[in-house]
Amino acid sequence: MQIIGSDIRSGMQPVLQQLGLSELNPAASTGLIDQRGSGPSIASYSPVDGELIASVGSCTREDYEAVIAKAHSAFLQWRTWPAPKRGEVVRQVGDALREKKDALGRLVSYEMGKSLQEGLGEVQEMIDICDFAVGLSRQLYGLTMHSERPSHRMYEQYHPLGVVGVISAFNFPVAVWSWNAMLAWVCGDTCIWKPSEKAPLSAVACQNIIKDVFRRNDVPEGVSCIIQGDYKVGEMMTTDARVPLVSATGSTRMGRKVAATVAERLGRSLLELGGNNAIVITENADLDISIVGALFGAVGTCGQRCTSTRRLIIHHAIYDKVKESLVKAYGQLRIGNPLDQHNHVGPLIDRQAVDAYLKALERVVAEGGRVLVPGGVLEGEGYESGCYVRPAIAEAQNHFSIVQEETFAPILYLLKYNELDEAIAMQNGVAQGLSSAIMTTDMRQAELFLSTSGSDCGIANVNIGTSGAEIGGAFGGEKETGGGRESGSDAWKVYMRRQTNTINYGKQLPLAQGIRFDF
């Protein structure tokens, strides 16, 4: 990697130095973490100010073959380490992230544009998953079952799976990798990470943070590798039978290709894809918390979360009041440099995202919608990157084609309903099924929303928004969201292979189902 300039705004030069990014020779990659890339350079531009931060070398086929060989060799050693010992390494990784939390959070904010608070929050998610994984390393439980045959014992156990491929997206450039890597590591797997080409530096920074921990603990070289590049580099993993599991986060379009490619070779895929999330605000809602939940859900990360609130389904009796409150709240939003903690909203990731945002606003009007809070691109001092936009609100209908799609931008659609069954049908009436929420003080309404007849999403909340999942719960969604589960609960099982064992401790060999085989 090569730093292109020294005049980096917002005090980022010291941050890069703390993260080991200011003087890194891409050809000298003989350490524990493989950062080689001898292919064409990938430039990382900050959407904050449009500045070119740095470039990294992309991965060639030859680079990939070297990495996969190293990762597989490391797996053969790493899987033999006791799981609690692997957990101890992850514990130290968590401590290293604590030491570098401020620097890494600032880099995340500067490289992809989310607010500094959200950048720091993303690193905290990494720390939290480390803590979760440490405990998990002593709880990789199997079950014991009663055998139908006398003097037999049955049980199941879980074994490491192998090399895990991780494809992450720009909007959470470090946290989603950690959700996968920390669990995979305590399970005994090794990881190859293809970060988004829109945020390559954050990935290198993570490798630099953990490399000293690995060296101190004599972790085999190749337990953690990165390969930089576009979708073609990702295809090297998805088509590779040496990678039994590919965890991919991104668009539904991308997920379809990954799922089909991995399935063709009978591999496993863990998919975290698009979301078109809704909050139902009932006539019994506490409007103070409803407005806060809707506001953060819609404009947090400039609408670039898979859990961002896209649709607000509001009871007709309070529709005008909610609309008025939201319009007033949007008027108080501060848009600007995300490293300035006085600002609420930073930029979109790039000009391509800005174009998609503008086209979505045109389409909602063309389909019969009405814009309440106008959008637009901000210009002038502080907005030179061309990536700053105004969060917008539009009145629409759930069946509009643009409402049915996921636009990765801060556009909130207001929808009106009369009966709760209608609201639930509207919530479920999209192809995606990630996150959902209901705002109500009525227990019956809340329980209906969480029941079999309620939300069809992987995440369903009451009196909190759609955004902001906790580490302890399994994260993921249904339908075109892909069906994957990461992070907490029993999500660890996808990173392991299950084995059923039967032991005969008797002197005879009775067969199952009472079968006799005499001779």
Side-chain angles (χ1 to χ4, degrees):
M1 187 184 76
Q2 178 184 4
I3 297 297
I4 301 300
S6 58
D7 184 20
I8 299 177
R9 300 181 189 181
S10 306
M12 288 304 298
Q13 188 64 50
V15 170
L16 296 176
Q17 291 174 347
Q18 289 181 56
L19 297 171
L21 297 176
S22 57
E23 297 178 358
L24 184 63
N25 181 354
S29 180
T30 57
L32 292 172
I33 314 302
D34 200 322
Q35 297 174 160
R36 286 178 294 186
S38 56
S41 294
I42 301 171
S44 177
Y45 289 89
S46 170
V48 175
D49 53 17
E51 291 290 311
L52 179 61
I53 313 171
S55 66
V56 299
S58 61
C59 178
T60 65
R61 169 56 68 177
E62 291 74 19
D63 295 333
Y64 176 78
E65 289 299 327
V67 167
I68 188 68
K70 186 66 69 174
H72 181 69
S73 176
F75 168 67
L76 298 180
Q77 301 177 56
W78 184 239
R79 67 180 179 179
T80 66
W81 286 37
K85 185 177 179 181
R86 298 191 296 254
E88 168 59 19
V89 173
V90 171
R91 185 193 67 77
Q92 294 177 39
V93 169
D95 286 345
L97 287 168
R98 286 179 173 89
E99 294 174 5
K100 301 291 186 180
K101 178 179 175 178
D102 184 74
L104 184 57
R106 288 179 181 277
L107 175 62
V108 167
S109 177
Y110 187 65
E111 188 173 32
M112 72 75 50
K114 65 175 57 177
S115 72
L116 178 57
Q117 286 182 315
E118 291 182 85
L120 296 173
E122 181 167 349
V123 181
Q124 185 61 49
E125 284 192 27
M126 302 175 75
I127 295 168
D128 292 344
I129 198 64
C130 286
D131 289 347
F132 179 89
V134 173
L136 177 65
S137 68
R138 296 179 182 271
Q139 301 180 76
L140 301 175
Y141 298 136
L143 299 174
T144 58
M145 291 79 73
H146 290 280
S147 173
E148 66 184 45
R149 291 169 287 185
S151 302
H152 281 59
R153 181 166 67 89
M154 292 179 63
Y155 69 97
E156 65 180 21
Q157 59 181 331
Y158 289 83
H159 295 294
L161 188 62
V163 179
V164 173
V166 180
I167 301 173
S168 62
F170 74 86
N171 59 333
F172 281 85
V174 293
V176 171
W177 163 74
S178 71
W179 291 0
N180 287 273
M182 303 309 156
L183 297 194
W185 288 347
V186 297
C187 289
D189 303 321
T190 58
C191 291
I192 300 177
W193 178 18
K194 194 207 87 65
S196 170
E197 61 270 33
K198 296 181 180 181
L201 306 183
S202 295
V204 178
C206 289
Q207 302 296 78
N208 286 346
I209 289 171
I210 66 176
K211 68 181 180 182
D212 289 339
V213 173
F214 279 23
R215 284 175 176 153
R216 287 198 306 269
N217 290 274
D218 294 322
V219 172
E221 181 181 1
V223 167
S224 182
C225 304
I226 57 175
I227 51 175
Q228 302 274 14
D230 60 14
Y231 72 95
K232 294 180 181 178
V233 174
E235 287 177 348
M236 295 180 191
M237 287 197 300
T238 59
T239 58
D240 192 345
R242 295 169 293 183
V243 183
L245 171 65
V246 176
S247 174
T249 301
S251 68
T252 297
R253 180 182 177 184
M254 178 274 284
R256 291 185 191 279
K257 294 180 179 179
V258 170
T261 302
V262 176
E264 186 176 7
R265 60 177 176 83
L266 298 181
R268 300 187 196 178
S269 57
L270 193 169
L271 302 176
E272 298 289 357
L273 310 176
N276 194 347
N277 316 293
I279 298 177
V280 176
I281 301 183
T282 75
E283 72 277 22
N284 300 303
D286 180 327
L287 293 189
D288 288 338
I289 66 173
S290 297
I291 297 302
V292 172
L295 183 66
F296 174 71
V299 307
T301 321
C302 202
Q304 297 173 116
R305 291 183 176 219
C306 53
T307 55
S308 291
T309 305
R310 311 286 177 200
R311 300 172 295 141
L312 211 57
I313 305 171
I314 310 165
H315 190 271
H316 68 92
I318 58 170
Y319 182 87
D320 290 338
K321 186 174 184 179
V322 171
K323 179 172 67 174
E324 180 183 343
S325 297
L326 275 172
V327 170
K328 181 179 179 180
Y330 269 58
Q332 300 175 35
L333 290 173
R334 291 186 294 270
I335 308 167
N337 179 359
L339 291 166
D340 181 347
Q341 296 197 55
H342 292 94
N343 292 324
H344 301 112
V345 183
L348 290 172
I349 185 65
D350 54 25
R351 298 285 183 90
Q352 184 178 359
V354 173
D355 290 342
Y357 155 85
L358 293 173
K359 289 177 181 177
L361 288 175
E362 292 175 359
R363 284 180 59 188
V364 72
V365 173
E367 293 186 43
R370 173 171 170 257
V371 175
L372 297 175
V373 176
V377 182
L378 297 173
E379 299 177 347
E381 185 178 355
Y383 304 125
E384 291 85 357
S385 69
C387 296
Y388 291 87
V389 301
R390 294 184 181 91
I393 300 177
E395 292 182 298
Q397 297 293 324
N398 204 53
H399 66 267
F400 288 0
S401 62
I402 186 59
V403 176
Q404 290 286 310
E405 298 175 10
E406 178 190 40
T407 301
F408 234 47
I411 302 175
L412 180 64
Y413 302 114
L414 303 190
L415 314 171
K416 187 184 296 185
Y417 80 94
N418 295 312
E419 302 294 335
L420 184 55
D421 287 345
E422 176 190 1
I424 291 173
M426 293 168 67
Q427 138 64 36
N428 294 343
V430 293
Q432 309 84 359
L434 178 53
S435 187
S436 60
I438 188 171
M439 298 294 185
T440 182
T441 57
D442 187 310
M443 180 189 71
R444 290 178 176 175
Q445 291 179 329
E447 290 294 338
L448 176 62
F449 189 76
L450 301 179
S451 74
T452 302
S453 303
S455 169
D456 64 359
C457 293
I459 299 170
N461 299 324
V462 176
N463 292 330
I464 63 172
T466 62
S467 193
E470 293 187 30
I471 288 300
F475 179 88
E478 300 301 321
K479 301 190 294 188
E480 289 191 0
T481 302
R485 292 296 185 274
E486 295 173 328
S487 190
S489 186
D490 64 348
W492 61 271
K493 292 181 179 179
V494 74
Y495 304 96
M496 306 195 81
R497 59 181 178 88
R498 181 184 298 199
Q499 184 180 78
T500 301
N501 307 110
T502 306
I503 300 172
N504 178 2
Y505 57 89
K507 295 182 178 180
Q508 297 180 346
L509 183 59
L511 302 179
Q513 294 88 45
I515 295 173
R516 299 181 63 85
F517 191 69
D518 298 325
F519 62 92

